[in-house]
Every structure is written in C-alpha cells, then in structure tokens.
Amino acid sequence: MTAADTTAPFGARLRRAMDDRGPLCVGIDPHASLLSDWGLSDDIAGLERFTRTAVEALADRVAVLKPQSAFFERFGSRGIAVLEKAVGEARDAGALVLMDAKRGDIGSTMAAYAETYLRKGSPLFSDALTVSPYLGYGSLKPAVDLARESGSGLFVLALTSNPEGAEVQRAVREDGRSIGATMLAHLAEENAGDSPMGSFGAVVGATLGDLSSFDLDINGPLLAPGIGAQGATAADLPAVFGPAVRHVVPNVSRGVLRHGPDAAALRTAAARFAAEIAEAVTPR
C-alpha cells in the first residue's frame, strides 16, 4: 500500500504509514526567517531549494509531510507551482501529504476548495486537508463527501494550540457541550465502524495539558501540533491524549527544519523525533 494508492481509505493508509515509518508528521513551512537561517534568499529560488531539499531528505522515510500552503501562496503562481511539484514528488516517494490550508466556507465555495485538494487529478491533490468548521460543521459536507469518494481524509480544527482558539472552541452551547467537544462528536460519527481507523481527524494541540474532559477517542487520527519549538515533548503525549494516544500524529516543523539545509541532519532530526514519539505512544 503506497501513498499514491488511494483505493484504500486515508485512515487505513495513514495507520499503515504510522506503523511502518513511525507516527510523525513533518511540516514544510518555508517562512522568511527559516529561509534566511538556511542561507537562502526569500524568493522563488530560495523557496524551490528549501522545498526540494526537505522533500528529498524526508519523503521516503516519514509517515506524513504537511506543507503549509500560505508560505507558497505568498509567491503567487510560481509559488503554487513549487507546491504542486512538491506534493507529487512527496507522494511518489511514499509519504502521505497533508495539505495545511485550513479551508472553510459554504456551499459551492467549499465545494471548490474540496475540488482543489481532494479531487483525483487535481494538480494539488493531497491525501488529506486541514479544514475549519467554524461556519458550522455542516458547511464541510462538500469536503466530507469528496474525501469519501476519493479516499482522502480531513483534519478538522477542534482544540488548537493557539491561545486565542479557546474563546471559540471552549465556548459552551445551550446543551452544555463546548464547541470543540461538538466537533469531536461529529468526527466520531463520521468514523463510526471504520477499521483500523477512520479518515476524519481532528487537530488537537499537544500543548493543551489535561484534556480528560474531552472524548478524544473519535476512531480517527489526531493531528497534534506543538512538539518541539512550541514546548511540548513526546513524553507529554500520553498525559494529554490518554487512551486516544494510539491515533496521535504529532506534527514537528521547526524542530526538524532548523537542522537544514543539510539533508543528513534533517533525516537525523526526523528519526530522533519519530523514535521518541513511538516510544511514548507504544503501550506497555
């Protein structure tokens, strides 16, 4: 089963990749300061060099690569062309590609976003996409439907690591349930009965501490930003995620990327994080 083989649902392909390569997602975030740290210019040439180096160093060994679309979009059409090439090359090398675009809208506009990232044959077709449900979970239906059709997945913002997120995600509805808990419940419904896990995941920050008041066992993946530069460690994961830790996909970006542009150093850093995470989440 390879990344390019979407005959299997995303959840099954992700579980296989996590078991084979370790449960690590590495972000590809070519922001200006990181390009500078690599000795690269903040232009298309620098973007191309950075992206090619990261993909060539990591795509054949990590479970997931997560390009942040905004850092490519800022260069216009030429930046998108770099992103398109990176997506294809990463998937060809065996990595699953999670497009971090956090799209969210209604009706035909949401459908167009879904077509961009989740329709087979699209230049930006990805294994999964991050989406925002804060126009109402039902607004995501075009993306949910197309993900099911194409064998792709979604990661829905639920309990994010940024402090500002709490004012929305921890707000309580009339029924006494928080917005974040509501999103988790919707995802559990989407994944009901799927094995080895469903394709509809949540974004839940690894820096949030005790989340035992939330039911994180959605039978789907939990993308966990915050390991490394944001202060969380692999050892924190069991306490944060409890029994759901088996489905956690920790995301590390700067913690790995700061070791570039040396490809060997990037691989070593990724291997270290993958080993630490696997040790932390393996049942004893």
Side-chain angles (χ1 to χ4, degrees):
M1 186 185 299
T2 67
D5 174 20
T6 53
T7 57
F10 171 71
R13 291 184 291 122
L14 177 60
R15 182 71 266 168
R16 173 72 64 85
M18 292 166 67
D19 291 344
D20 290 348
R21 296 185 170 198
L24 175 65
C25 169
V26 177
I28 301 181
D29 299 354
H31 48 74
S33 62
L34 195 50
L35 292 175
S36 177
D37 290 345
W38 280 34
L40 300 174
S41 52
D42 187 21
D43 55 19
I44 286 293
L47 178 71
E48 288 178 330
R49 174 70 182 280
F50 178 95
T51 306
R52 182 175 64 253
T53 299
V55 170
E56 290 179 352
L58 300 171
D60 66 344
R61 62 197 62 219
V62 302
V64 183
L65 286 179
K66 183 178 70 65
Q68 169 47 260
S69 181
F71 293 118
F72 296 86
E73 293 173 28
R74 70 191 184 98
F75 292 102
S77 60
R78 295 177 68 191
I80 296 299
V82 173
L83 180 58
E84 290 176 2
K85 184 177 180 181
V87 169
E89 291 181 347
R91 298 187 74 245
D92 286 346
L96 296 171
V97 172
L98 167 57
M99 183 63 69
D100 193 357
K102 299 183 178 72
R103 299 305 192 219
D105 216 304
I106 60 172
S108 60
T109 307
M110 189 68 239
Y113 282 137
E115 292 280 340
T116 301
Y117 302 105
L118 303 174
R119 173 68 68 189
K120 290 182 179 179
S122 167
L124 287 169
F125 176 71
S126 302
D127 296 284
L129 171 69
T130 58
V131 291
S132 173
Y134 294 107
L135 288 171
Y137 183 84
S139 67
L140 300 179
K141 187 176 187 301
V144 171
D145 291 346
L146 188 51
R148 290 192 186 281
E149 178 184 328
S150 65
S152 301
L154 298 177
F155 284 89
V156 177
L157 303 180
L159 297 167
T160 57
S161 56
N162 62 306
E164 303 87 352
E167 69 180 85
V168 175
Q169 297 154 16
R170 304 284 183 132
V172 177
R173 300 171 3 136
E174 291 183 356
D175 63 4
R177 188 164 61 177
S178 72
I179 301 299
T182 299
M183 298 308 160
L184 293 168
H186 281 303
L187 293 168
E189 292 176 6
E190 301 286 4
N191 294 323
D194 290 345
S195 180
M197 68 176 172
S199 299
F200 299 93
V203 180
V204 179
T207 57
L208 296 178
D210 183 7
L211 293 176
S212 59
S213 62
F214 293 90
D215 186 359
L216 299 177
D217 199 356
I218 61 171
N219 190 35
L222 301 170
L223 181 69
I227 301 290
Q230 293 185 45
T233 69
D236 297 326
L237 294 172
V240 175
F241 292 95
V245 75
R246 68 191 185 281
H247 288 333
V248 168
V249 188
N251 174 69
V252 179
S253 296
R254 283 171 289 175
V256 171
L257 297 176
R258 67 183 179 85
H259 294 279
D262 181 75
L266 289 169
R267 294 186 190 108
T268 297
R272 176 174 59 83
F273 275 109
E276 290 175 356
I277 291 164
E279 172 67 19
V281 304
T282 299
R284 291 174 173 75

